[in-house]
Amino acid sequence: MRNPRAFLRPLAVGAPAPVADVPFRPSRMIHFFDPSNEKMRSKVPDIAAKVDIILGNLEDAIKTENKEAARLGLVEVARATDFGDTQLWVRVNSLDSPWVLDDLITLVTEIGEKLDVVMVPKVEGAQDIHYVDRLLAQLEARAGLTRPILVHAILETAEGVTNVEEIAAASPRMQGISLGPADLAASRRMKTTRVGGGHPGYLVRQDPTGDDLTTGRTTYQQDLWHYTIARMVDACAGNDILPFYGPFGDIKDVVACEDQFRNAFLLGCVGAWSLHPVQIDIAKRVFSPDPADVAHAKEVVEAMGDGSGAVMINGKMEDDASCKQCIVMLDLAKALAERDPELAAAYDL
Ligand code: 1VU
Ligand code: MG
């Protein structure tokens, strides 16, 4: 770990100074596309206009023979597209792969001024972030970039979960962390083959009422990801960076996808990955606060004046703590309203 005074110094001569605070920009969905796929590439300008973050994926889901085409395809589409307020991210290959060095060198050199965040998969500890941190500083200096590229880690190994707090604190470049449930399940040897979501076998069962153990006992499916998401949210919130839920692989089950995204939203995540166009609107709906919650938050904050004391609103006690909860809701609503005129009208702030 660098000493506190050195933490905000550039890691290479000529590199831009690290940012002290991670800028909060609307981040309800990170939309993945395959830059080696010409058809998907052609949709990027239209999709970029609809999403908060668009991400060119170079890692898993890209065939080995397409790795270079994906890298070059991302350079091509980034150069040709005006992303406006939408963030452009890349998911590079894993740090133990033969491609990641060329991914970073090519992308920072060719399109560094357009790249907001590099997503790093399979991060296991602070050492992985330190490696990327120094390399990015060297490349930024060489490319003459004036703004640092931020880093987002995927939490998808048991070792990464063990070290999540040190990962979140590893560098001022850290923008956030996403839960990667598929690789994490494999790393932990969990016995689910699903990409995110629940499992009907992971449940609790009501007690029996008599000797009959088999009938009349309601079961409740539990959330396989609750512990990890909650831990990730604490690590992120404790370091002023942003937590995200990752992929939901059952594209056709839009209902369960919405449930998974909402659980993450309620626990503190700011967004989730969209793997297919149908998941974009789900994320937009879930990660934008309900106008009724925003109206309630506004009422509480106005009634609380300087934020101290206690008041009764609609039969409920509100005080300093619940006022802070309402401010969280209002701050998010205001940030989203600036980007989305429909939400601005619905929130009426
Ligand atoms: O109607 P059209 O034919 O013009 O277009 C298709 C399709 O090309 C398009 N589409 C997309 N466009 C932009 N971004 C996307 N992510 C995207 N996905 C599809 O939409 C139209 C309808 O598509 P479809 O329903 O026929 O679906 P396909 O069979 O074409 O594609 C499905 C997959 C899942 C293969 C595709 O959506 C995809 O590749 N998504 C991204 C997958 C990914 O990035 N995976 C890695 C992250 S998850 C992880 O790492 C751990 C599990
Ligand atoms: Mg993965």
Side-chain angles (χ1 to χ4, degrees):
M1 240 357 152
R2 275 184 287 165
N3 78 58
R5 273 180 291 276
F7 197 65
L8 285 172
R9 285 183 205 141
L11 283 174
V13 176
V19 288
D21 292 309
V22 172
F24 178 75
R25 296 168 65 186
S27 304
R28 295 164 291 181
M29 73 297 290
I30 305 170
H31 183 76
F32 276 57
F33 74 97
D34 172 356
S36 74
N37 179 325
E38 208 179 324
K39 195 167 161 200
M40 268 199 215
R41 241 179 16 238
S42 71
K43 291 172 191 273
V44 164
D46 282 348
I47 291 200
K50 292 186 199 137
V51 299
D52 294 336
I53 300 165
I54 188 150
L55 176 146
N57 176 33
L58 308 184
E59 198 224 7
D60 293 355
I62 306 301
K63 279 182 162 299
T64 305
E65 61 267 31
N66 291 341
K67 291 290 187 187
E68 289 198 14
R71 192 189 296 140
L72 298 178
L74 181 56
V75 170
E76 181 193 305
V77 76
R79 281 196 180 138
T81 308
D82 176 1
F83 293 96
D85 287 341
T86 300
Q87 300 176 55
L88 174 67
W89 292 23
V90 59
R91 178 168 82 169
V92 294
N93 284 288
S94 61
L95 298 180
D96 60 356
S97 77
W99 304 291
V100 64
L101 191 57
D102 286 334
D103 291 344
L104 289 166
I105 292 173
T106 303
L107 295 169
V108 178
T109 308
E110 302 294 331
I111 56 165
E113 71 289 350
K114 285 201 157 181
L115 262 188
D116 290 290
V117 173
V118 171
M119 180 185 274
V120 183
K122 302 176 178 70
V123 172
E124 303 208 305
Q127 71 280 4
D128 291 339
I129 302 301
H130 294 159
Y131 169 78
V132 175
D133 199 5
R134 179 79 74 172
L135 187 51
L136 282 176
Q138 293 167 343
L139 293 168
E140 286 167 346
R142 200 176 64 173
L145 300 188
T146 52
R147 160 185 75 86
I149 296 169
L150 300 184
V151 168
H152 183 100
I154 312 182
L155 192 60
E156 53 182 350
T157 66
E159 195 174 337
V161 176
T162 304
N163 296 325
V164 64
E165 290 83 8
E166 67 166 51
I167 293 169
S171 160
R173 273 187 210 277
M174 281 300 297
Q175 176 274 349
I177 301 180
S178 285
L179 171 74
D183 272 302
L184 182 56
S187 166
R188 285 176 171 162
R189 301 191 187 91
M190 291 166 69
K191 305 304 181 293
T192 168
T193 54
R194 299 172 175 209
V195 174
H199 192 289
Y202 192 69
L203 51 80
V204 292
R205 186 183 303 271
Q206 199 179 12
D207 282 356
T209 45
D211 292 339
D212 183 357
L213 300 182
T214 56
T215 51
R217 300 176 65 184
T218 309
T219 59
Y220 303 89
Q221 197 170 316
Q222 304 294 293
D223 182 357
L224 283 170
W225 306 108
H226 179 270
Y227 153 76
T228 318
I229 294 178
R231 186 148 175 214
M232 175 183 75
V233 167
D234 281 344
C236 288
N239 286 285
D240 288 335
I241 65 171
L242 306 176
F244 292 71
Y245 176 76
F248 189 86
D250 192 346
I251 307 286
K252 68 176 180 338
D253 192 349
V254 290
V255 175
C257 176
E258 180 155 345
D259 293 337
Q260 177 77 72
F261 284 7
R262 186 160 290 107
N263 288 348
F265 174 65
L266 288 169
L267 277 178
C269 291
V270 298
W273 300 2
S274 58
L275 302 183
H276 186 281
V278 295
Q279 295 183 336
I280 295 173
D281 282 341
I282 300 174
K284 196 173 271 189
R285 189 162 56 244
V286 169
F287 290 98
S288 307
D290 188 327
D293 286 337
V294 176
H296 169 75
K298 198 172 153 197
E299 191 181 356
V300 171
V301 170
E302 280 168 6
M304 284 292 293
D306 73 354
S308 66
V311 294
M312 189 80 146
I313 298 180
N314 301 327
K316 297 193 177 81
M317 187 282 303
E318 308 288 351
D319 71 358
D320 309 48
S322 65
C323 186
K324 283 184 200 146
Q325 291 173 271
C326 291
I327 290 170
V328 167
M329 193 74 80
L330 279 181
D331 284 350
L332 177 58
K334 282 178 193 156
L336 296 177
E338 272 177 30
R339 179 166 171 79
D340 186 331
E342 272 181 40
L343 284 179
Y347 293 156
D348 189 24
L349 291 168

